[in-house]
Amino acid sequence: QVQLVESGGGWVQPGGSLRLSCEATGGTFSNYALAWFRQAPGKEREFVAGVSKNGAQLYDTDSVSGRFTISRDNAKGTVFLEMNSLKPEDTAVYYCAASGRLTASAGNFDYWGQGTQVTVSS
């Protein structure tokens, strides 16, 4: 059983940056693909970015192209999401998720964190 705990959310002005972290415990971290999803009020949860077991990255290019970067540190059991040039439409609860394989579908992920709020406004 994998437990995921996100941190690093908060309030930032448009154009600013945040770095989200997600620490995993209770499993062999390197056996999992990790991803970040987000959910804004009144909207469905959507895929943001993912990283496979071997480090290959996948992004929702329409929404985060060139602005967000996902990375993982297997030694620390942590996955990161570096977010730059933030926009008001990036405001959402951001969730970390783990799965045996990397896809962009939330239904394929077995483990989820509790989420961290990101608010982008002036």
Side-chain angles (χ1 to χ4, degrees), residues 8-14 16-18 86 91 116-122:
W11 172 84
V12 64
Q13 292 185 334
S17 299
L18 282 175
L86 283 161
T91 295
T116 185
Q117 176 71 46
V118 171
T119 303
V120 185
S121 72
S122 54

Side-chain angles (χ1 to χ4, degrees), residues 69-114:
T69 303
I70 190 170
S71 61
R72 64 188 296 162
D73 185 332
N74 286 345
K76 296 182 178 179
T78 304
V79 61
F80 304 97
L81 185 68
E82 187 76 35
M83 305 186 295
N84 298 311
S85 301
L86 283 161
K87 306 175 181 179
E89 51 263 44
D90 294 317
T91 295
V93 177
Y94 283 70
Y95 296 90
C96 174
S99 174
R101 63 185 182 95
L102 180 61
T103 76
S105 174
N108 289 328
F109 284 80
D110 305 304
Y111 305 102
W112 292 85
Q114 81 290 348

